[in-house]
Amino acid sequence: MSVATDLKQPEAQPSPESVKMAGRNVSVFYGEKQALFDVDLDIVENQVVSLIGPSGCGKSTFLRCLNRMNDTIDICRVGGEITLDGQDIYDKAIDVVELRARVGMVFQKPNPFPKSIYENVAYGPRIHGMTSTKDELDEIVTTSLRRAGLWEEVKDRLDQPGTGLSGGQQQRLCIARAIATKPEVLLMDEPCSALDPIATAIIEELIDELRERFTIVIVTHSMQQAARVSQKTAFFHLGKLIEEGPTEQIFTNPHHQKTQDYITGRIG
Amino acid sequence: MQFWLTLLVVLLVAGGLFYTGRSRAFAITGGDATVLHSKPEFHGGMVLIAGLLPAIFVYVAWLVFYRYFADSSVTAQLATELSGLTALEQESFLRGAFNLANGQNVGNVSDAELKAIEAYRAFNGAANLILQLVLAALVLGGGFLAWRQISISFRARQFVEGTVSVALIAASGVAILTTLGIVLSLIFESLNFFQKVPFFDFLFGTHWSPQSAFEGAGSEASERNSEVFGAIPIFAGTLLITTIAILVAAPIGLMSAIYLSDYATPKFRAVAKPILEILAGIPTVVYGFFAALTVAPFFRNAGEGIGLSVSSESALAAGLVMGIMIIPFVSSLSDDVINSVPQSLRDGSSGLGATKSETIRRVILPAALPGIVSALMLAISRAIGETMIVVMAAGLSANLTINPLEAVTTVTVQIVTLLVGDQEFDSAKTLAAFALGLVLFCVTLMLNVIALRVIQKYREQYD
Amino acid sequence: MTDLAGGNVQEINSIHTSDEARARLAKRYRAEGNFKWLGRSAIGVSVAFLLLLLSSVVSQGIPAFTFNFAQLPFQLNAETLGTDGSDANALKKADYDGLVRNTIRGEFPHVTSRKGKRLLGGILSSGAPVYLRQQVLDDPSLVGGTKTPEVPISDFADLYLKGQITPSSYVDGGANLTFALDDKSYSIVADQPVFTDQLKAAKARLAVQAASLRDEQAGQLRSAAKLEGDIVAYKERLAAGPEADVKERLEKSLEKTEEDLKLVRVRIEQLASKADELDARIANDGLGETLTADMPSALLYVGGGVLKLTSVTNSTATAEAYMPVAEDLSAAAPSDWRLRNMEVVEANRKFSDQEIVWTDELVERGYIRNGFNSIFFSRGASREPEMAGVWGAVVGSALTLIVTLALSFPLGVAAAIYLEEFAPKNRWTTLIEVNINNLAAVPSIVFGLLGLAVFLNYFELDRSAPYVGGMVLALMTLPTIIIASRAALRAVPPSIREAALGIGASRLQTVTHHVLPLAMPGILTGTIIGMAQALGETAPLLMIGMVAFVVDVPAAFSDPATVLPVQIFMWADFPEPAFQQRTSAAIMVLLGFLIAMNAIAVVLRKKFERRW
């Protein structure tokens, strides 16, 4: 069994107050069919947590619960409790629009708007009214593009359509767009699955840098990627959270048989 | 009566041919039909087709060309009587004689007419006799030839199916024929018109009053005519009413589509969509009636109330009602367009924390803009071609203005006014209607083609 | 946790949760709410318009579904008709005109003037004799029998009985009256001022007249001022010493303008004095007034008859008899009489007080029967609204649609089958497809032009005949049917075709035996919808001459006919209120057919639609 060699150094045990988001007994139903069964998971601040597991195991479903994207699906019902900074995000008092400004998302297939690069990144700050002058907006756009590692490549063509970029660049644009709203948590749903290895490598490096500012939850099909980028890993199988723990431990010494099977390639 | 009788005869003949063929097919096998290559029904069908089809072709040809031959024959026989008349007079003389010849009572006619009538009747008699003989010969001959072909290995099925395939192709060709017919007849009559009124005077002239057109030849007539057939006021009126209609239909139709596709509950949709469909299904004459009898007087009285002078045939009333008629059209087209924007864009926008209206206003609509523009072009095309609402609620006299409170006239209204009534077909007025029709056809065609192109390119963008 | 460079936890947290952010959020939600309301009101506009249209049509059309008939005591016997009923020819030629005339005059023998008799005859429909004749021809046993035939009353009498001519109110008698008859005119004296209301109403009318005179006066004053200005201008220019010919022109103009001014001043005088006169009369409360046709009228019911007031003071009046009163009438107690005030003045309506009184009398005598308007549903067009029916147009529409269906259905389905199942994907088929899509969007009036140029002008087919109309509509409906049929054929899964071909069926057999039956429900639905659209078409049929005034119900495809929407179009032009009602009723009939056809299509679709 060969796993990527440059594992991250195991972090110290997280103190309870730096848990950014937590799920307790989270279940998801699509109509009559249950997709997630009683998931308990903590997400610690400024950490990268990766959710791994075979296709259809519920990891994307869980991810989408964290910013209430499941609300857009009529027949979807979420049970249990999910908190952000201790507050239940499904509470009536929490506004979903505000939540999504604080918990950003990058999707599997890059989906830049058919607007200019500038407008793509400026979209979030604009609608949330985060700036009052053009200069402030320019500043946010520039910063976000820099942090997404795209600035050098597009600084001379900010008014060109975002859809004209390559796949990898588009995804980085989407990352810039997501972080422009200055979220606290960044959700990434298989962000590299549609990209070539070079673009993938660029984005994985990016994730490491972004970790300093944001808490990141990433769903990935690639165990190697999980091993490379995350400090904590959670393994899902058939809608249940089988095992979770420090990445190194999961990959070198899993406690659960199913986890072992998955890692060795016997299932999924 | 004669129609039904002929129909009966044709059916009987067809049945007879079919039965003959089928029996023969059975007969040659000595009872066991499975030996045949093709089922007996196909043999019967073959005999039927072979017998009837040539006869049908000949009959149709006779219908089309008969009149020409009859006229030629009678003209030759009455050469002396017709020598003093102009071509037009000859034509009308012959037509009159022809109608009398086919009617019952002749009444008082001149000698020349009597001779013509008798000539026509004689020709009719002879032609009918020949026709009946020819048709009978074709039916019997064709049927017999086919009957002789019937054998065990004869591929009757191929024959029948081949004929049917050709018939199917012909059916599809009707569409092309129709378009050809439209284009040719419009162009032909318009060319006649442009001989009387120069093209540029028509297209760019600003004075339209066909009532004062002169008939007959002569430079004075043609000079006068080129002054009264200037179509600019009509185009302007059409534009004014269409603009009002689109100003009404575009926002309402678009917002309806947005609300129904993104906000409405299924129950609401189940009620609202049928209502829009009902609105779309109401005949335009009903809209016109409502516009003329309720909406226009309402605007006039309202105008009087606040001191404005509103015509009782205001462009506002007609345009408003036309706009409402187009709402379902715009709504359903916009609905298609909005739904074809990929869900990933919606998700991207929601994921950033946008409200639904922000997503729609800032992402969906700009992305769908080409499609919406194309939908509006189709709506404009529809509005331009609309007839009944404007005939009943808009004015009849050309008026070059942008004031919606005044009465204006449109292309379709003029076409109807010029043609409904007893006029000689070749008069400048009647031909003017065809010229207008040509303009209408070309403009709507162009709009439709451009709109469809835009939609195609726009769809490619997202597939 | 370390402090991050370039941003701290507090700052990040508060950007979206601060009060400012919350306020912005509230604003955004308000915008969202407004947007939703915009959407709702957009739909609301459509719904409101539909409701408005339907309610207006229905409320106007419902009265046309009933009609009042007069069952007068027509003497149908050998004497009046010249036959006892056995000779059909004589029955046809009998003088029904005279019979109807005499019968109605027999009911009101006191009407002797020529004008009065003509007015009386106008209460019955002018088509009454024709109607009566039809009844007798249909049932000769009426001659000499006991059954009373009936005839339609006139359109305005019918409107009156439906309460649509004028509202009126009754006032009980409030004083003792004495009557004196002088020639034809009654003088009435009351011991209380019971005619004050009528007098006041008359004065009010005078006030309106005075006001309009003053308006005109003001207008004339303005003209006068303008003319005066012109005169001054001319004088100035003349004083400047112009050339000879210009001077002559100016002098002429000056003269004319001065003349005009004189006339205007005279007119102003006239208007002023008339208006003053009226003002004097209005001010004088007690001065009696003659009740003219533009003042509200009053009827006095007394002594078994009806008197119409011709002039009033507060407590006296003069009147003439509209229905004869008792010969010896000289006095009446309050309980013996009452007044009836008509709200709409006679000058503004088309049914006079005299006609109202006569019609009421017929009702009193039990001759009027209110029943279903069978005329409307069994006759063709007519210039008289009460004799006009929609049946001719309905039959015309039916004949036309039959032709349309017979032509467009086979051709459309055949073309769809070819394009969908057989055609190779090459330039020609693409051309045909593009063609069909374009044809579907061509304005309908262009098809009318095509029909006119080719069918009427070149082939010289009959104008106004259903079969020509059917051909034009068939060309119009063809693209619709082709497109709908192609969609239905496409919906049948390829596996069906493959299975059939696998057994060895030829392509044609596959299509006719397997695919077509499965696609049939969809094809039929599309065809029904296409027919419904064709039913509502008006413009192309106008072009081929179906505007002719068709009285007889058509019986063959070549008889001149009209269709329902064209009938509606023609009737919409007629100003009589009775025609307006019938137009609305015809619209209801048309909408009824359309609803039925669309309902059948929907039911068909629901019942036979398969989810593959």
Side-chain angles (χ1 to χ4, degrees):
Chain A
M1 148 184 121
S2 134
V3 163
T5 47
D6 48 332
L7 295 174
K8 294 287 167 216
Q9 289 302 317
E11 300 277 329
Q13 254 328 88
S15 43
E17 55 273 11
S18 62
V19 165
K20 189 68 181 168
M21 293 191 79
R24 295 280 174 272
N25 292 327
V26 178
S27 302
V28 175
F29 297 85
Y30 287 108
E32 293 299 318
K33 186 167 163 302
Q34 186 165 7
L36 271 186
F37 298 80
D38 286 322
V39 174
D40 282 350
L41 187 61
D42 281 345
I43 299 177
V44 171
E45 225 167 336
N46 295 114
Q47 249 195 17
V48 178
V49 176
S50 63
L51 311 180
I52 62 172
S55 296
C57 64
K59 47 194 201 295
S60 285
T61 311
F62 180 74
L63 189 77
R64 289 167 62 98
C65 287
L66 297 178
N67 69 346
R68 288 177 65 173
M69 276 306 275
N70 285 331
D71 285 5
T72 60
I73 301 174
D74 285 330
I75 53 170
C76 188
R77 233 183 348 115
V78 176
E81 189 190 56
I82 301 180
T83 58
L84 171 66
D85 285 340
Q87 268 192 310
D88 182 3
I89 63 174
Y90 280 92
D91 187 56
K92 295 281 183 243
I94 294 273
D95 183 78
V96 68
V97 165
E98 185 187 295
L99 175 71
R100 291 186 188 145
R102 298 172 63 192
V103 179
M105 184 172 245
V106 174
F107 297 83
Q108 185 169 349
K109 191 161 169 292
N111 56 0
F113 300 136
K115 296 175 189 279
S116 69
I117 294 172
Y118 184 92
E119 286 301 325
N120 262 283
V121 183
Y123 183 74
R126 263 201 226 279
I127 55 175
H128 292 295
M130 286 164 63
T131 63
S132 40
T133 72
K134 178 98 178 17
D135 288 333
E136 287 179 24
L137 191 57
D138 286 348
E139 152 104 48
I140 291 188
V141 170
T142 319
T143 314
S144 308
L145 283 171
R146 271 195 218 278
R147 290 192 187 146
L150 194 57
W151 174 251
E152 289 303 318
E153 292 164 60
V154 301
K155 66 181 182 209
D156 296 327
R157 46 181 178 136
L158 288 178
D159 55 347
Q160 304 253 329
T163 43
L165 300 171
S166 75
Q169 288 172 324
Q170 283 187 11
Q171 193 64 300
R172 276 180 280 152
L173 177 61
C174 291
I175 293 176
R177 184 176 71 184
I179 62 181
T181 62
K182 298 208 168 82
E184 299 153 48
V185 180
L186 197 56
L187 307 176
M188 306 178 102
D189 192 350
E190 301 192 39
C192 303
S193 64
L195 306 178
D196 62 75
I198 297 183
T200 302
I202 297 177
I203 291 192
E204 286 181 7
E205 244 182 72
L206 204 50
I207 292 177
D208 206 38
E209 288 166 20
L210 293 172
R211 180 163 80 88
E212 293 176 24
R213 299 203 148 71
F214 308 99
T215 306
I216 301 183
V217 184
I218 176 169
V219 165
T220 178
H221 247 134
S222 155
M223 288 176 285
Q224 289 85 344
Q225 185 171 80
R228 282 194 292 269
V229 307
S230 62
Q231 290 76 53
K232 179 160 156 184
T233 300
F235 171 61
F236 285 77
H237 185 57
L238 294 179
K240 298 196 179 66
L241 174 60
I242 305 294
E243 187 175 347
E244 51 110 347
T247 305
E248 201 208 346
Q249 179 250 306
I250 293 283
F251 281 109
T252 55
N253 189 17
H255 294 159
H256 219 271
Q257 183 56 41
K258 280 226 181 65
T259 321
Q260 170 88 331
D261 288 343
Y262 179 69
I263 290 172
T264 54
R266 211 176 290 159
I267 54 173
Chain B
M1 198 53 220
Q2 205 202 359
F3 168 72
W4 295 112
L5 205 60
T6 322
L7 194 61
L8 190 62
V9 165
V10 170
L11 286 175
L12 285 175
V13 167
L17 289 168
F18 183 79
Y19 181 72
T20 325
R22 191 163 162 278
S23 330
R24 159 97 184 207
F26 267 121
I28 59 174
T29 66
D32 182 11
T34 53
V35 179
L36 288 170
H37 172 270
S38 312
K39 282 167 65 177
E41 281 74 27
F42 284 112
H43 292 277
M46 177 185 72
V47 174
L48 187 153
I49 292 174
L52 273 188
L53 217 54
I56 290 180
F57 275 123
V58 167
Y59 185 64
V60 169
W62 184 78
L63 280 179
V64 170
F65 293 112
Y66 160 76
R67 189 60 192 277
Y68 173 72
F69 286 122
D71 284 347
S72 312
S73 159
V74 172
T75 314
Q77 288 181 51
L78 277 102
T80 39
E81 284 88 342
L82 294 174
S83 57
L85 305 174
T86 68
L88 254 139
E89 286 171 336
Q90 277 185 19
E91 237 183 78
S92 89
F93 174 79
L94 287 174
R95 189 176 304 146
F98 182 77
N99 287 335
L100 284 173
N102 286 337
Q104 301 292 82
N105 303 325
V106 176
N108 292 331
V109 291
S110 67
D111 285 338
E113 281 180 304
L114 200 60
K115 187 165 169 204
I117 290 172
E118 281 168 5
Y120 269 121
R121 284 194 175 150
F123 187 87
N124 280 353
N128 272 326
L129 191 59
I130 297 179
L131 178 73
Q132 282 163 358
L133 287 174
V134 169
L135 287 181
L138 283 174
V139 167
L140 289 174
F144 180 67
L145 283 174
W147 190 79
R148 275 188 2 159
Q149 295 282 11
I150 294 178
S151 68
I152 292 189
S153 56
F154 186 69
R155 299 172 169 271
R157 186 167 59 88
Q158 263 72 333
F159 180 82
V160 172
E161 291 192 347
T163 320
V164 172
S165 299
V166 171
L168 292 182
I169 298 180
S172 318
V174 173
I176 303 237
L177 231 94
T178 314
T179 311
L180 269 178
I182 292 179
V183 169
L184 286 179
S185 60
L186 283 179
I187 290 185
F188 186 68
E189 303 296 348
S190 301
L191 283 178
N192 274 347
F193 176 72
F194 291 132
Q195 279 174 352
K196 300 195 183 202
V197 175
F199 181 68
F200 284 106
D201 288 335
F202 169 71
L203 214 52
F204 296 111
T206 57
H207 184 59
W208 178 271
S209 63
Q211 299 83 350
S212 42
F214 278 10
E215 280 320 308
S219 62
E220 186 196 314
S222 67
E223 202 186 291
R224 180 90 181 106
N225 283 347
S226 36
E227 286 172 17
V228 300
F229 281 110
I232 290 280
I234 306 186
F235 297 149
T238 310
L239 202 61
L240 178 63
I241 291 189
T242 304
T243 309
I244 297 177
I246 295 295
L247 284 177
V248 167
I252 297 183
L254 196 55
M255 276 314 294
S256 300
I258 291 175
Y259 188 82
L260 282 179
S261 71
D262 276 285
Y263 287 102
T265 61
K267 255 194 275 186
F268 188 93
R269 243 193 307 261
V271 169
K273 267 198 178 269
I275 290 189
L276 284 179
E277 274 176 36
I278 293 178
L279 218 55
I282 294 183
T284 50
V285 70
V286 177
Y287 276 107
F289 176 72
F290 188 68
L293 263 69
T294 310
V295 179
F298 170 75
F299 276 126
R300 202 190 54 217
N301 295 337
E304 266 174 40
I306 58 174
L308 286 173
S309 134
V310 179
S311 159
S312 57
E313 294 171 325
S314 58
L316 186 61
L320 180 76
V321 174
M322 193 191 286
I324 298 197
M325 180 199 75
I326 302 184
I327 287 178
F329 190 67
V330 174
S331 175
S332 88
L333 285 177
S334 308
D335 195 57
D336 286 340
V337 164
I338 288 175
N339 282 336
S340 68
V341 174
Q343 183 65 19
S344 60
L345 287 183
R346 283 196 175 82
D347 282 345
S349 180
S350 300
L352 287 168
T355 61
K356 220 187 260 191
S357 67
E358 283 162 355
T359 303
I360 293 175
R361 273 183 290 129
R362 292 169 184 264
V363 175
I364 308 289
L365 285 183
L369 200 60
I372 292 180
V373 165
S374 154
L376 285 181
M377 287 178 82
L378 289 175
I380 292 176
S381 166
R382 182 87 199 273
I384 291 181
E386 169 47 41
T387 314
M388 293 321 292
I389 297 182
V390 275
V391 164
M392 293 170 88
L396 285 177
S397 53
N399 183 14
L400 192 54
T401 174
I402 55 168
N403 180 1
L405 301 178
E406 292 183 39
V408 297
T409 193
T410 73
V411 172
T412 44
V413 171
Q414 286 305 306
I415 294 179
V416 170
T417 326
L418 288 171
L419 289 176
V420 171
D422 297 315
Q423 276 146 31
E424 268 302 315
F425 193 79
D426 282 332
S427 68
K429 284 191 241 181
T430 323
L431 293 177
F434 279 94
L436 287 174
L438 184 62
V439 172
L440 183 67
F441 181 72
C442 292
V443 170
T444 52
L445 191 65
M446 200 180 62
L447 281 173
N448 289 334
V449 164
I450 296 181
L452 288 179
R453 277 276 166 78
V454 170
I455 279 225
Q456 262 172 3
K457 275 187 71 174
Y458 159 76
R459 286 260 161 79
E460 279 170 29
Q461 199 185 0
Y462 283 123
D463 280 339
Chain C
M1 220 190 53
T2 53
D3 210 0
L4 299 171
N8 52 51
V9 178
Q10 286 307 104
E11 179 195 299
I12 292 180
N13 271 348
S14 65
I15 255 195
H16 294 294
T17 53
S18 68
D19 289 333
E20 269 180 4
R22 294 265 158 82
R24 278 198 300 267
L25 197 58
K27 214 170 106 180
R28 288 164 69 193
Y29 273 118
R30 268 201 302 277
E32 169 89 357
N34 290 341
F35 194 72
K36 266 164 86 164
W37 271 110
L38 220 60
R40 284 199 198 106
S41 32
I43 300 200
V45 165
S46 304
V47 172
F49 182 84
L50 184 64
L51 288 177
L52 190 64
L53 178 74
L54 289 181
S55 66
S56 135
V57 162
V58 168
S59 66
Q60 257 198 318
I62 289 267
F65 281 92
T66 60
F67 198 75
N68 288 294
F69 295 89
Q71 290 170 321
L72 296 176
F74 295 105
Q75 299 294 324
L76 294 169
N77 47 43
E79 207 182 292
T80 52
L81 296 176
T83 164
D84 62 352
S86 49
D87 184 354
N89 234 346
L91 267 187
K92 231 188 259 181
K93 299 210 165 86
D95 180 17
Y96 294 96
D97 266 320
L99 179 57
V100 167
R101 247 200 330 263
N102 293 333
T103 312
I104 186 76
R105 286 180 192 173
E107 288 298 317
F108 300 93
H110 64 274
V111 177
T112 48
S113 73
R114 247 216 344 223
K115 209 170 115 188
K117 286 188 196 166
R118 224 194 352 246
L119 197 62
L120 183 58
I123 292 191
L124 298 179
S125 163
S126 54
V130 172
Y131 193 83
L132 185 60
R133 190 178 76 182
Q134 195 55 45
Q135 286 187 70
V136 172
L137 289 176
D138 285 342
D139 181 12
S141 72
L142 283 171
V143 184
T146 47
K147 252 195 339 196
T148 20
E150 58 184 17
V151 292
I153 61 178
S154 78
D155 54 326
F156 282 109
D158 181 65
L159 284 178
Y160 165 67
L161 288 176
K162 287 172 178 158
Q164 296 181 345
I165 294 287
T166 173
S168 61
S169 52
Y170 288 90
V171 176
D172 284 332
N176 293 307
L177 303 175
T178 56
F179 296 86
L181 178 58
D182 173 22
D183 195 13
K184 291 256 167 74
S185 176
Y186 284 86
S187 306
I188 308 170
V189 178
D191 60 0
Q192 300 273 346
V194 286
F195 302 121
T196 327
D197 288 337
Q198 283 73 25
L199 189 58
K200 280 214 193 98
K203 302 276 189 204
R205 280 288 153 172
L206 292 181
V208 168
Q209 282 176 16
S212 101
L213 285 176
R214 296 235 182 261
D215 266 343
E216 205 193 320
Q217 186 185 5
Q220 294 289 0
L221 281 169
R222 282 196 290 273
S223 301
K226 181 174 178 306
L227 289 173
E228 281 167 5
D230 286 343
I231 290 177
V232 169
Y234 282 134
K235 290 209 171 119
E236 276 178 10
R237 284 171 67 185
L238 280 169
E243 295 173 10
D245 53 342
V246 177
K247 183 156 173 250
E248 199 184 309
R249 203 167 35 85
L250 284 177
E251 278 171 350
K252 269 216 198 95
S253 305
L254 179 60
E255 203 182 304
K256 183 170 180 311
T257 314
E258 280 172 339
E259 295 252 347
D260 288 341
L261 185 59
K262 254 191 237 152
L263 288 171
V264 168
R265 291 226 172 98
V266 165
R267 181 98 187 101
I268 292 176
E269 275 299 313
Q270 286 176 339
L271 289 173
S273 69
K274 259 211 208 116
D276 287 336
E277 206 185 299
L278 284 179
D279 278 342
R281 296 184 72 107
I282 295 171
N284 188 348
D285 268 352
L287 184 60
E289 295 295 337
T290 321
L291 295 179
T292 58
D294 56 354
M295 294 176 187
S297 49
L299 297 170
L300 179 60
Y301 288 75
V302 69
V306 184
L307 298 176
K308 165 143 176 185
L309 302 183
T310 47
S311 75
V312 285
T313 69
N314 275 318
S315 47
T316 67
T318 59
E320 56 177 309
Y322 271 5
M323 278 302 295
V325 297
E327 280 212 10
D328 53 354
L329 181 69
S330 62
S335 54
D336 293 337
W337 64 275
R338 54 187 189 145
L339 271 181
R340 183 178 180 192
N341 294 310
M342 317 301 262
E343 226 175 86
V344 178
V345 300
E346 242 183 338
N348 288 350
R349 49 180 152 97
K350 295 247 172 43
F351 203 56
S352 65
D353 288 336
Q354 176 66 274
E355 292 168 296
I356 288 181
V357 168
W358 283 334
T359 313
D360 283 339
E361 185 63 30
L362 287 180
V363 174
E364 274 277 323
R365 295 183 190 170
Y367 290 137
I368 303 288
R369 175 186 81 89
N370 186 354
F372 179 68
N373 190 351
S374 51
I375 295 180
F376 186 69
F377 287 101
S378 58
R379 294 181 63 92
S382 163
R383 198 53 194 80
E384 300 298 322
E386 66 273 8
M387 299 301 292
V390 88
W391 186 243
V394 169
V395 171
S397 273
L399 291 175
T400 310
L401 279 187
I402 289 176
V403 175
T404 308
L405 186 64
L407 287 177
S408 60
F409 185 72
L411 281 178
V413 175
I417 290 178
Y418 175 70
L419 288 172
E420 201 58 35
E421 306 285 334
F422 290 94
K425 295 272 174 264
N426 59 21
R427 291 173 51 216
W428 296 111
T429 30
T430 320
L431 182 69
I432 297 181
E433 278 178 22
V434 166
N435 221 311
I436 292 176
N437 286 328
N438 276 331
L439 271 184
V442 168
S444 59
I445 197 172
V446 173
F447 284 98
L449 287 174
L450 172 69
L452 183 61
V454 175
F455 295 146
L456 289 191
N457 193 39
Y458 185 74
F459 284 122
E460 288 180 24
L461 301 178
D462 305 307
R463 283 183 89 97
S464 208
Y467 74 94
V468 180
M471 280 163 31
V472 173
L473 289 181
L475 289 180
M476 249 181 63
T477 322
L478 205 53
T480 314
I481 295 188
I482 293 179
I483 293 175
S485 305
R486 285 192 71 179
L489 288 169
R490 243 194 302 254
V492 176
S495 52
I496 307 258
R497 293 182 185 80
E498 282 159 11
L501 290 172
I503 305 183
S506 71
R507 294 213 70 168
L508 191 64
Q509 284 170 329
T510 308
V511 170
T512 44
H513 295 169
H514 300 279
V515 179
L516 199 55
L518 290 173
M520 209 29 104
I523 294 180
L524 284 180
T525 309
T527 309
I528 294 179
I529 293 183
M531 288 298 117
Q533 282 174 353
L535 177 59
E537 276 300 331
T538 324
L541 298 179
L542 287 182
M543 305 273 93
I544 60 157
M546 277 178 134
V547 216
F549 190 77
V550 176
V551 175
D552 298 315
V553 176
F557 292 103
S558 49
D559 283 347
T562 187
V563 292
L564 204 42
V566 171
Q567 183 75 286
I568 293 172
F569 170 66
M570 293 199 291
W571 279 355
D573 265 342
F574 297 155
E576 291 97 328
F579 260 126
Q580 308 272 305
Q581 289 181 345
R582 275 157 183 75
T583 314
S584 299
I587 291 180
M588 285 168 73
V589 171
L590 178 61
L591 289 180
F593 277 120
L594 288 175
I595 290 177
M597 289 169 86
N598 276 302
I600 294 178
V602 166
V603 162
L604 205 69
R605 191 189 293 165
K606 288 240 157 72
K607 195 152 180 256
F608 289 105
E609 197 170 34
R610 290 194 207 202
R611 302 243 150 249
W612 295 105

